[in-house]
Short mmCIF file of all heavy atoms in Angstrom, two decimals:
data_model
loop_
_atom_site.label_atom_id
_atom_site.label_comp_id
_atom_site.label_asym_id
_atom_site.label_seq_id
_atom_site.Cartn_x
_atom_site.Cartn_y
_atom_site.Cartn_z
N LEU A 35 -14.45 20.89 13.18
CA LEU A 35 -13.38 20.18 12.50
C LEU A 35 -12.03 20.90 12.72
O LEU A 35 -10.97 20.33 12.79
CB LEU A 35 -13.61 19.84 11.03
CG LEU A 35 -14.65 18.93 10.72
CD1 LEU A 35 -15.09 18.86 9.24
CD2 LEU A 35 -14.19 17.46 11.10
N LEU A 36 -12.21 22.27 12.77
CA LEU A 36 -10.87 23.13 12.86
C LEU A 36 -10.09 22.72 14.17
O LEU A 36 -8.89 23.07 14.24
CB LEU A 36 -11.29 24.53 12.73
CG LEU A 36 -11.58 24.88 11.28
CD1 LEU A 36 -12.26 26.36 11.36
CD2 LEU A 36 -10.35 25.04 10.54
N GLY A 37 -10.82 22.21 15.16
CA GLY A 37 -10.05 21.77 16.40
C GLY A 37 -9.19 20.65 16.25
O GLY A 37 -8.38 20.21 17.12
N TYR A 38 -9.22 19.95 15.11
CA TYR A 38 -8.53 18.64 14.87
C TYR A 38 -7.54 18.68 13.79
O TYR A 38 -6.83 17.74 13.53
CB TYR A 38 -9.50 17.49 14.57
CG TYR A 38 -10.56 17.26 15.69
CD1 TYR A 38 -11.70 17.78 15.65
CD2 TYR A 38 -10.08 16.50 16.78
CE1 TYR A 38 -12.60 17.55 16.73
CE2 TYR A 38 -11.02 16.29 17.73
CZ TYR A 38 -12.24 16.93 17.78
OH TYR A 38 -13.10 16.67 18.73
N VAL A 39 -7.48 19.87 13.05
CA VAL A 39 -6.59 19.87 11.83
C VAL A 39 -5.63 20.89 11.93
O VAL A 39 -5.72 21.85 12.75
CB VAL A 39 -7.47 20.04 10.54
CG1 VAL A 39 -8.46 18.88 10.31
CG2 VAL A 39 -8.14 21.34 10.42
N THR A 40 -4.58 20.89 11.08
CA THR A 40 -3.49 22.01 11.12
C THR A 40 -3.57 22.72 9.74
O THR A 40 -3.01 23.90 9.78
CB THR A 40 -2.12 21.39 11.29
OG1 THR A 40 -2.01 20.21 10.27
CG2 THR A 40 -1.87 20.75 12.64
N SER A 41 -4.20 22.30 8.77
CA SER A 41 -4.39 23.12 7.51
C SER A 41 -5.84 22.85 7.01
O SER A 41 -6.32 21.65 7.14
CB SER A 41 -3.28 22.97 6.60
OG SER A 41 -3.33 21.57 6.07
N ALA A 42 -6.32 23.76 6.34
CA ALA A 42 -7.73 23.66 5.78
C ALA A 42 -7.67 24.13 4.22
O ALA A 42 -7.15 25.24 4.00
CB ALA A 42 -8.74 24.56 6.53
N ASN A 43 -8.23 23.31 3.41
CA ASN A 43 -8.41 23.53 1.98
C ASN A 43 -9.82 24.24 1.96
O ASN A 43 -10.76 23.45 2.04
CB ASN A 43 -8.27 22.38 1.21
CG ASN A 43 -7.13 21.55 1.47
OD1 ASN A 43 -6.08 22.11 1.61
ND2 ASN A 43 -7.30 20.29 1.58
N ILE A 44 -9.91 25.49 1.58
CA ILE A 44 -11.22 26.15 1.64
C ILE A 44 -11.76 26.40 0.22
O ILE A 44 -11.07 27.00 -0.63
CB ILE A 44 -11.10 27.56 2.40
CG1 ILE A 44 -10.54 27.25 3.86
CG2 ILE A 44 -12.45 28.31 2.37
CD1 ILE A 44 -10.15 28.45 4.52
N ALA A 45 -12.93 25.88 0.04
CA ALA A 45 -13.69 25.96 -1.33
C ALA A 45 -13.63 27.36 -1.80
O ALA A 45 -13.95 28.27 -1.07
CB ALA A 45 -15.04 25.35 -1.24
N CYS A 46 -13.46 27.49 -2.98
CA CYS A 46 -13.38 28.95 -3.66
C CYS A 46 -14.59 29.46 -4.19
O CYS A 46 -14.56 30.48 -5.04
CB CYS A 46 -12.20 28.94 -4.65
SG CYS A 46 -10.60 28.60 -4.03
N GLY A 47 -15.79 28.84 -3.99
CA GLY A 47 -17.09 29.21 -4.55
C GLY A 47 -17.43 28.79 -5.89
O GLY A 47 -18.52 29.13 -6.44
N VAL A 48 -16.65 27.89 -6.48
CA VAL A 48 -17.06 27.33 -7.79
C VAL A 48 -17.72 25.98 -7.73
O VAL A 48 -18.83 25.74 -8.17
CB VAL A 48 -15.91 27.45 -8.75
CG1 VAL A 48 -16.18 26.70 -10.07
CG2 VAL A 48 -15.45 28.86 -9.05
N HIS A 49 -17.02 25.04 -7.10
CA HIS A 49 -17.62 23.73 -6.91
C HIS A 49 -18.53 23.76 -5.66
O HIS A 49 -19.45 22.98 -5.59
CB HIS A 49 -16.60 22.52 -6.84
CG HIS A 49 -15.87 22.61 -5.48
ND1 HIS A 49 -14.68 23.31 -5.24
CD2 HIS A 49 -16.18 21.81 -4.42
CE1 HIS A 49 -14.33 23.06 -4.06
NE2 HIS A 49 -15.12 22.14 -3.56
N ALA A 50 -18.29 24.66 -4.67
CA ALA A 50 -19.08 24.83 -3.58
C ALA A 50 -18.63 26.13 -2.87
O ALA A 50 -17.57 26.62 -3.11
CB ALA A 50 -18.79 23.64 -2.62
N GLY A 51 -19.43 26.51 -1.85
CA GLY A 51 -19.04 27.64 -1.08
C GLY A 51 -19.47 28.90 -1.71
O GLY A 51 -20.24 29.02 -2.74
N SER A 52 -18.97 30.12 -1.13
CA SER A 52 -19.28 31.36 -1.64
C SER A 52 -18.28 32.33 -1.08
O SER A 52 -17.46 31.93 -0.26
CB SER A 52 -20.72 31.87 -1.18
OG SER A 52 -20.66 31.98 0.08
N ALA A 53 -18.20 33.59 -1.48
CA ALA A 53 -17.16 34.45 -0.87
C ALA A 53 -17.41 34.75 0.58
O ALA A 53 -16.49 34.78 1.37
CB ALA A 53 -17.40 35.91 -1.60
N GLU A 54 -18.68 34.75 1.03
CA GLU A 54 -19.02 34.83 2.52
C GLU A 54 -18.59 33.64 3.32
O GLU A 54 -18.04 33.73 4.40
CB GLU A 54 -20.51 35.15 2.61
CG GLU A 54 -20.88 35.44 4.09
CD GLU A 54 -20.02 36.39 4.89
OE1 GLU A 54 -19.68 37.45 4.31
OE2 GLU A 54 -19.71 36.04 6.10
N ILE A 55 -18.78 32.43 2.62
CA ILE A 55 -18.45 31.32 3.31
C ILE A 55 -16.82 31.11 3.42
O ILE A 55 -16.37 30.75 4.52
CB ILE A 55 -19.04 29.90 2.64
CG1 ILE A 55 -20.58 29.97 2.94
CG2 ILE A 55 -18.38 28.63 3.18
CD1 ILE A 55 -21.18 28.86 2.07
N MET A 56 -16.30 31.58 2.30
CA MET A 56 -14.71 31.58 2.29
C MET A 56 -14.30 32.58 3.47
O MET A 56 -13.45 32.11 4.28
CB MET A 56 -14.33 32.15 1.02
CG MET A 56 -14.15 31.20 -0.13
SD MET A 56 -13.17 31.96 -1.53
CE MET A 56 -14.46 32.97 -2.27
N ARG A 57 -14.80 33.73 3.55
CA ARG A 57 -14.38 34.70 4.59
C ARG A 57 -14.60 34.04 5.99
O ARG A 57 -13.74 34.09 6.85
CB ARG A 57 -15.20 35.99 4.39
CG ARG A 57 -14.84 37.10 5.19
CD ARG A 57 -15.47 38.42 4.81
NE ARG A 57 -15.13 38.82 3.60
CZ ARG A 57 -15.84 38.81 2.43
NH1 ARG A 57 -17.16 38.26 2.52
NH2 ARG A 57 -15.52 39.34 1.32
N ARG A 58 -15.74 33.59 6.25
CA ARG A 58 -16.10 33.01 7.55
C ARG A 58 -15.24 31.88 7.93
O ARG A 58 -14.65 31.78 9.01
CB ARG A 58 -17.61 32.61 7.62
CG ARG A 58 -18.04 32.20 9.05
CD ARG A 58 -19.53 31.94 9.06
NE ARG A 58 -19.97 30.78 8.22
CZ ARG A 58 -20.82 30.95 7.27
NH1 ARG A 58 -21.24 32.19 6.85
NH2 ARG A 58 -21.01 29.99 6.48
N THR A 59 -15.01 30.98 7.01
CA THR A 59 -14.18 29.70 7.10
C THR A 59 -12.70 30.14 7.49
O THR A 59 -12.09 29.61 8.24
CB THR A 59 -14.26 28.89 5.94
OG1 THR A 59 -15.68 28.45 5.83
CG2 THR A 59 -13.48 27.51 6.24
N MET A 60 -12.20 31.16 6.71
CA MET A 60 -10.87 31.66 6.84
C MET A 60 -10.60 32.25 8.38
O MET A 60 -9.66 32.03 8.96
CB MET A 60 -10.49 32.75 5.83
CG MET A 60 -10.03 32.00 4.55
SD MET A 60 -9.26 33.23 3.39
CE MET A 60 -10.74 33.68 2.47
N GLN A 61 -11.68 33.07 8.71
CA GLN A 61 -11.59 33.67 10.04
C GLN A 61 -11.68 32.56 11.15
O GLN A 61 -10.90 32.76 12.14
CB GLN A 61 -12.78 34.64 10.24
CG GLN A 61 -12.55 35.86 9.42
CD GLN A 61 -13.79 36.80 9.36
OE1 GLN A 61 -14.97 36.27 9.34
NE2 GLN A 61 -13.61 38.09 9.32
N LEU A 62 -12.45 31.62 10.94
CA LEU A 62 -12.50 30.54 11.91
C LEU A 62 -11.21 29.73 12.07
O LEU A 62 -10.71 29.36 13.12
CB LEU A 62 -13.74 29.53 11.55
CG LEU A 62 -15.04 30.08 11.89
CD1 LEU A 62 -16.12 29.12 11.21
CD2 LEU A 62 -15.32 30.17 13.34
N ALA A 63 -10.65 29.54 10.84
CA ALA A 63 -9.42 28.78 10.71
C ALA A 63 -8.24 29.59 11.47
O ALA A 63 -7.42 28.96 12.17
CB ALA A 63 -8.97 28.43 9.24
N ALA A 64 -8.26 30.87 11.06
CA ALA A 64 -7.09 31.73 11.63
C ALA A 64 -7.27 31.71 13.30
O ALA A 64 -6.31 31.59 13.98
CB ALA A 64 -7.22 33.13 11.06
N ALA A 65 -8.57 31.90 13.78
CA ALA A 65 -8.75 31.80 15.27
C ALA A 65 -8.32 30.58 15.81
O ALA A 65 -7.87 30.51 17.04
CB ALA A 65 -10.29 32.12 15.36
N ALA A 66 -8.33 29.44 15.11
CA ALA A 66 -7.92 28.24 15.60
C ALA A 66 -6.45 27.85 15.31
O ALA A 66 -5.94 26.82 15.65
CB ALA A 66 -8.80 26.95 14.98
N GLY A 67 -5.76 28.76 14.69
CA GLY A 67 -4.36 28.59 14.41
C GLY A 67 -4.12 27.48 13.26
O GLY A 67 -3.12 26.88 13.14
#
Side-chain angles (χ1 to χ4, degrees):
L35 287 168
L36 286 165
Y38 299 99
V39 301
T40 53
S41 66
N43 313 314
I44 301 170
C46 299
V48 174
H49 76 275
S52 67
E54 181 52 37
I55 292 171
M56 280 190 277
R57 186 175 292 106
R58 184 175 63 245
T59 307
M60 282 191 264
Q61 289 169 326
L62 288 169

